[in-house]
Amino acid sequence: MMDERGEIFTEFGFIDDLMNRAVKAKGVDCISSSENIPVSPLGPGDDCSVLDCMNTDFGLQTLVTKDIMSEDIHFSWKWISPAELGYKVMAVNLSDIAAMGGRPLQAFAGLSLRGSDALSIKEKSEGILNGIIEACSEFDVLLCGGDTCASAHGDFISITLTGESVPDCLGRGRAVLRSGAVPGDSIILLGSLGESAAGLRLLEMFGRSGDCLLPDSMAQLDSTARFDLDARQRVIYSHIRPEPLVPQAQRLARASLLNSLIDISDGLVQDLGHICRQSKVGMVLNEAGLEPGMELGRICSKYGWNSLDLILSGGEDYALAGTASRESTERILSIMKQEFPLCPVAVIGEVISRDSQPGAYESDDGSAEGDRVEGALSIRCLSGDIISLEKKGWDHFADPGQ
Amino acid sequence: MMDERGEIFTEFGFIDDLMNRAVKAKGVDCISSSENIPVSPLGPGDDCSVLDCMNTDFGLQTLVTKDIMSEDIHFSWKWISPAELGYKVMAVNLSDIAAMGGRPLQAFAGLSLRGSDALSIKEKSEGILNGIIEACSEFDVLLCGGDTCASAHGDFISITLTGESVPDCLGRGRAVLRSGAVPGDSIILLGSLGESAAGLRLLEMFGRSGDCLLPDSMAQLDSTARFDLDARQRVIYSHIRPEPLVPQAQRLARASLLNSLIDISDGLVQDLGHICRQSKVGMVLNEAGLEPGMELGRICSKYGWNSLDLILSGGEDYALAGTASRESTERILSIMKQEFPLCPVAVIGEVISRDSQPGAYESDDGSAEGDRVEGALSIRCLSGDIISLEKKGWDHFADPGQ
């Protein structure tokens, strides 16, 4: 993000800085705040903080994530209701636990809300609470506490969600990290990409009234128009109500099938870049594996959007991308097909060694530029050509005429 | 607080509602989210959520608190720097852990910040981070993670702080709650009251330039004026940089000396009201025990303020008020004098039975009106008269002419 004075400010740089300085302030590499309670935070670079401090009887790790949603940055009251927002902010945090293969446990909700003509603080807080409780109930999370206060400016919701790693087939209970990808791994995508971004574009174009873009009379529509309408409603729904893939990730982590895992909150290219960086590997995606789903394809044809652009960089899908050996990949595909038949799964590329791919790598010093992954990621086009997906490279790829 | 549509919205009501509904959603009274991990949240009604879920080897309880600071509600950039704000937001959360007699462990920081002409996002985040790290270092807390994002509106900081209860002399590691006060207990105050509110008034009157209200030339001031100046700087400092009484509370909890404890964030009357409500007791304060400190007394004389009003309802002092048996009270006074000679300590009243005092009590149904404690709290004036401190009663008491 760029602030008003034109300085570049990256979230990743800030968190890097925070962790490095916190560690430095303690004067040690691996931090123990107590004799009894060893604490070794793994981070930055993963979706959750990982603490070895608790549940030592079971050898599990405690996971903690904290994601904020800030008005007009992450959501707009123009097209989300309080209950939908409450559900979504939990989904975003649940997805971080899913991205470590973990099991969510306890939530703490912080709300700073401003009353308005359209919605009073009471209406907002009750609606948000309903949404939070609905998500907690669905994913067996206990809402353990919170803080709520007035806001003089916009609305702001902060969730802290704890979880625990799950024991794998060897009895180890280690979280699945971003740093475990090895050359030769397949890249596996769980869930769909691009729909949330398409839904947001539709909301920005048409707004939302009632139950998503309903026409005056359904009777006037022929079946093709109805199908289009349905497609639009579905992608909008993907944006408004993402489904965190918690049980799927947990199942695969228990079976020790994943070498690395991340959730796709900032777009596939950017998020896979984190795995490349943390695992010190490169990746080649296959365009053939990145076909849009039926609704997304239809929406993109209708509005002339490049679906690959949305798939590679759309963000906010809360799909999961992981890497696994070839043998594990076959088991993953089989498990997903049998146990989660409604969740899309696809092999979308492969992990290669850094040296196999040209391009400049960032330094590992945790500087603000440190999340650049130029050259680490490329795509094998349907034509057979391999094109580098540099930080913004896919823009050119998506529309070579620009 | 009152929202723009005039509806009364209480934080306490919201948290009550949240906890009651979260418990109801799970369909049980004492909640266990797992066979292995019993979870029994104590709340609402205490400063932290209390979880029995961790550190079971040591019989300790895990404490979690989450406090937000929201721009122009809890702070103003007119008179606080980013580093001071970072320190203060940690102090506010540390005070919640202190209020359970606990030991703070890990912090997670969420920032949503907006760049401005005066301060860029980078300057704000770096400064806030410096303040957070300073407080973490001072209180041996590990900063384990966070989330930072842009804000389109005001600035928000949300801290989640974990801690643990400390083992007492019987080897039990139970947090000190608000519900343990019994008739006959003394009410003990650790720290000073009213200074923070006086400091805020001065900031609102005079603003802040550089190092707190410095005159053009110290040389022009006689010794009385210098002393006044110093007093003003001190009370402003109390507002800007509260000192959470973590080691003091921990020491007394380890020695099993406290029956109940709370921190004074919303004003003495309101916060003692929580103990009355949770413990189902009444209280009589002694005006004689509530003398202002020297600086506060001098400031109040100078500006014609009623010091008792500031002491009873000022808030944001992050002092601690607890109750203890008579024998324990003597030990507390002795320990404080020997081990924490710089921390003020005073016996400010006594706990009585509900029935000993007239007045209406709130229902226990957790309704929005549930934090009213009319009639539970009264004060024995210097004249010997006993006057009820109803919810806003002390306003009349402070200025009978109004």
Side-chain angles (χ1 to χ4, degrees):
Chain A
M1 77 184 96
M2 186 93 74
D3 78 8
E4 287 169 22
R5 285 163 60 176
E7 292 180 56
I8 292 166
F9 175 77
T10 69
E11 175 181 353
F12 311 110
F14 176 80
I15 297 177
D16 276 4
D17 189 40
L18 183 151
M19 296 305 298
N20 288 334
R21 290 173 60 192
V23 168
K24 207 169 162 187
K26 301 288 289 188
V28 285
D29 275 347
C30 182
I31 297 158
S32 173
S33 70
S34 149
E35 325 70 66
N36 292 330
I37 301 182
V39 175
S40 63
L42 274 171
D46 274 287
D47 295 271
C48 299
S49 302
V50 181
L51 309 173
D52 279 332
C53 64
M54 295 152 179
N55 300 322
T56 46
D57 280 358
F58 315 108
L60 305 181
Q61 293 175 315
T62 293
L63 310 174
V64 185
T65 184
K66 186 179 182 82
D67 261 2
I68 296 166
M69 296 195 84
S70 192
E71 184 180 355
D72 294 328
I73 298 287
H74 300 100
F75 69 91
S76 167
W77 289 120
K78 285 183 212 157
W79 45 71
I80 199 162
S81 73
E84 289 166 339
L85 182 64
Y87 189 93
K88 184 166 179 176
V89 70
M90 278 302 300
V92 166
N93 281 275
L94 285 160
S95 184
D96 283 331
I97 299 285
M100 314 291 283
R103 170 183 172 222
L105 291 174
Q106 294 132 2
F108 302 86
L111 279 65
S112 184
L113 302 175
R114 196 171 59 91
S116 70
D117 289 340
L119 282 170
S120 69
I121 292 180
K122 189 162 178 290
E123 285 165 334
K124 280 186 188 174
S125 62
E126 283 181 355
I128 292 169
L129 179 59
N130 282 339
I132 289 174
I133 287 177
E134 186 188 347
C136 284
S137 179
E138 187 177 337
F139 290 92
D140 202 23
V141 167
L142 184 62
L143 185 56
C144 286
D147 182 27
T148 182
C149 62
S151 169
H153 303 284
D155 293 323
F156 167 89
I157 305 174
S158 158
I159 300 284
T160 304
L161 181 64
T162 70
E164 63 184 5
S165 56
V166 294
D168 64 15
C169 56
L170 299 174
R172 297 168 310 194
R174 314 304 290 175
V176 185
L177 304 180
R178 296 176 178 178
S179 55
V182 290
D185 276 4
S186 308
I187 304 168
I188 299 161
L189 176 70
L190 309 181
S192 303
L193 292 179
E195 291 179 1
S196 174
L200 179 59
R201 282 192 191 179
L202 289 177
L203 287 167
E204 286 171 342
M205 285 164 66
F206 302 110
R208 177 176 176 187
S209 63
D211 211 357
C212 304
L213 302 174
L214 280 181
D216 288 340
S217 166
M218 289 288 276
Q220 294 167 0
L221 300 175
D222 65 18
S223 63
T224 310
R226 279 195 197 189
F227 185 90
D228 279 344
L229 185 74
D230 198 40
R232 289 198 297 184
Q233 287 174 331
R234 285 199 202 190
V235 298
I236 285 174
Y237 200 71
S238 296
H239 180 73
I240 298 285
R241 196 183 174 91
E243 187 71 9
L245 304 178
V246 174
Q248 293 86 343
Q250 238 175 276
R251 174 69 179 85
L252 302 180
R254 276 189 203 280
S256 306
L257 293 172
L258 293 163
N259 288 340
S260 68
L261 192 61
I262 195 167
D263 76 329
I264 311 302
S265 50
D266 296 320
L268 184 67
V269 170
Q270 191 162 333
D271 288 321
L272 285 182
H274 292 307
I275 293 188
C276 290
R277 183 174 166 237
Q278 299 286 321
S279 299
K280 302 188 193 308
V281 296
M283 289 182 174
V284 182
L285 300 180
N286 284 318
E287 186 179 353
L290 294 168
E291 282 293 297
M294 193 168 54
E295 284 90 7
L296 181 63
R298 192 166 268 254
I299 294 287
C300 286
S301 314
K302 187 176 177 79
Y303 295 101
W305 298 342
N306 184 314
S307 62
L308 191 58
D309 184 35
L310 290 171
I311 288 169
L312 290 176
S313 65
E316 282 209 79
D317 287 298
Y318 304 102
L320 293 172
T323 73
S325 69
R326 288 188 185 207
E327 301 74 34
S328 295
T329 298
E330 282 176 31
R331 282 205 57 208
I332 288 171
L333 296 177
S334 159
I335 288 172
M336 290 298 296
K337 197 173 172 181
Q338 282 176 28
E339 301 180 26
F340 304 98
L342 298 178
C343 178
V345 56
V347 176
I348 61 168
E350 61 190 309
V351 178
I352 58 173
S353 76
R354 270 195 175 193
D355 302 333
S356 317
Q357 210 161 35
Y361 280 87
E362 81 290 350
S363 63
D364 283 324
D365 65 358
S367 65
E369 295 296 298
D371 56 310
R372 301 181 70 188
V373 290
E374 284 141 348
L377 204 62
S378 57
I379 187 165
R380 184 181 292 114
C381 303
L382 297 175
S383 65
D385 295 342
I386 295 184
I387 294 177
S388 174
L389 286 169
E390 295 189 0
K391 205 173 179 189
K392 294 223 159 187
W394 68 91
D395 286 342
H396 306 288
F397 173 62
D399 185 358
Q402 279 189 339
Chain B
M1 77 185 97
M2 187 92 74
D3 79 7
E4 287 168 20
R5 285 163 62 174
E7 293 180 55
I8 292 166
F9 174 77
T10 69
E11 174 180 355
F12 311 111
F14 176 81
I15 297 177
D16 276 4
D17 190 40
L18 182 151
M19 296 305 298
N20 288 335
R21 292 174 59 190
V23 168
K24 206 170 163 189
K26 301 287 290 187
V28 285
D29 275 347
C30 182
I31 295 157
S32 172
S33 70
S34 149
E35 323 72 64
N36 292 328
I37 301 183
V39 175
S40 62
L42 273 172
D46 274 287
D47 295 272
C48 300
S49 301
V50 181
L51 309 173
D52 279 333
C53 64
M54 296 151 179
N55 302 323
T56 45
D57 280 358
F58 315 107
L60 305 182
Q61 292 176 314
T62 292
L63 310 174
V64 185
T65 183
K66 185 178 183 84
D67 261 4
I68 297 169
M69 296 195 84
S70 189
E71 184 179 355
D72 294 327
I73 298 286
H74 301 99
F75 69 91
S76 167
W77 289 121
K78 285 183 212 155
W79 47 67
I80 198 162
S81 73
E84 288 166 341
L85 182 63
Y87 188 93
K88 184 166 179 176
V89 70
M90 278 300 302
V92 166
N93 280 276
L94 285 159
S95 184
D96 282 330
I97 299 286
M100 313 291 284
R103 171 184 172 219
L105 291 173
Q106 295 132 2
F108 302 85
L111 281 63
S112 184
L113 301 176
R114 195 170 59 91
S116 70
D117 288 342
L119 282 170
S120 69
I121 292 181
K122 190 165 179 287
E123 285 165 333
K124 281 184 188 173
S125 62
E126 284 182 354
I128 292 168
L129 179 59
N130 282 340
I132 289 174
I133 288 177
E134 186 189 348
C136 284
S137 179
E138 186 177 338
F139 290 91
D140 203 22
V141 168
L142 183 62
L143 184 57
C144 286
D147 183 25
T148 181
C149 62
S151 169
H153 304 283
D155 294 323
F156 302 88
I157 306 175
S158 157
I159 299 285
T160 304
L161 180 64
T162 70
E164 62 184 7
S165 57
V166 295
D168 64 15
C169 58
L170 299 174
R172 298 168 308 195
R174 314 304 290 177
V176 185
L177 304 181
R178 296 175 179 179
S179 54
V182 290
D185 276 3
S186 308
I187 305 168
I188 300 160
L189 175 70
L190 308 181
S192 302
L193 291 180
E195 293 180 359
S196 174
L200 178 59
R201 283 193 189 178
L202 289 177
L203 287 167
E204 285 169 344
M205 286 163 65
F206 301 111
R208 178 175 176 188
S209 62
D211 210 358
C212 305
L213 302 174
L214 280 180
D216 288 340
S217 166
M218 289 288 277
Q220 295 166 0
L221 300 176
D222 64 19
S223 62
T224 310
R226 277 195 200 189
F227 185 89
D228 279 344
L229 184 73
D230 197 38
R232 289 199 298 183
Q233 287 174 332
R234 285 198 202 191
V235 297
I236 285 174
Y237 201 71
S238 296
H239 181 74
I240 298 287
R241 196 183 173 92
E243 187 72 8
L245 304 178
V246 174
Q248 291 86 345
Q250 237 175 274
R251 175 69 180 85
L252 302 180
R254 276 188 202 281
S256 306
L257 293 171
L258 293 163
N259 287 342
S260 68
L261 192 61
I262 196 167
D263 76 329
I264 311 302
S265 51
D266 297 320
L268 184 67
V269 170
Q270 191 160 332
D271 288 320
L272 284 182
H274 293 307
I275 293 187
C276 290
R277 184 174 168 237
Q278 298 288 321
S279 299
K280 303 188 192 308
V281 295
M283 290 183 175
V284 181
L285 301 180
N286 284 318
E287 187 178 353
L290 294 169
E291 282 293 297
M294 191 169 54
E295 283 91 9
L296 182 63
R298 192 166 268 254
I299 293 286
C300 285
S301 314
K302 186 176 178 78
Y303 295 100
W305 298 341
N306 183 315
S307 62
L308 190 59
D309 184 35
L310 291 171
I311 287 169
L312 289 176
S313 65
E316 282 210 79
D317 286 299
Y318 304 101
L320 294 173
T323 73
S325 69
R326 286 186 186 209
E327 302 74 32
S328 296
T329 298
E330 283 176 31
R331 280 206 58 209
I332 289 171
L333 297 176
S334 157
I335 288 172
M336 290 298 295
K337 197 173 174 183
Q338 281 175 30
E339 301 180 27
F340 303 98
L342 298 179
C343 178
V345 56
V347 176
I348 61 169
E350 62 191 308
V351 178
I352 59 173
S353 77
R354 270 193 174 193
D355 302 333
S356 315
Q357 211 162 32
Y361 280 88
E362 82 291 350
S363 63
D364 283 322
D365 65 357
S367 66
E369 296 295 298
D371 55 310
R372 303 180 73 187
V373 289
E374 285 141 347
L377 204 62
S378 57
I379 187 165
R380 183 180 292 113
C381 303
L382 296 175
S383 65
D385 294 342
I386 293 184
I387 295 178
S388 174
L389 287 169
E390 294 188 1
K391 205 172 180 190
K392 292 224 159 187
W394 69 92
D395 286 344
H396 307 287
F397 174 63
D399 185 0
Q402 279 188 341

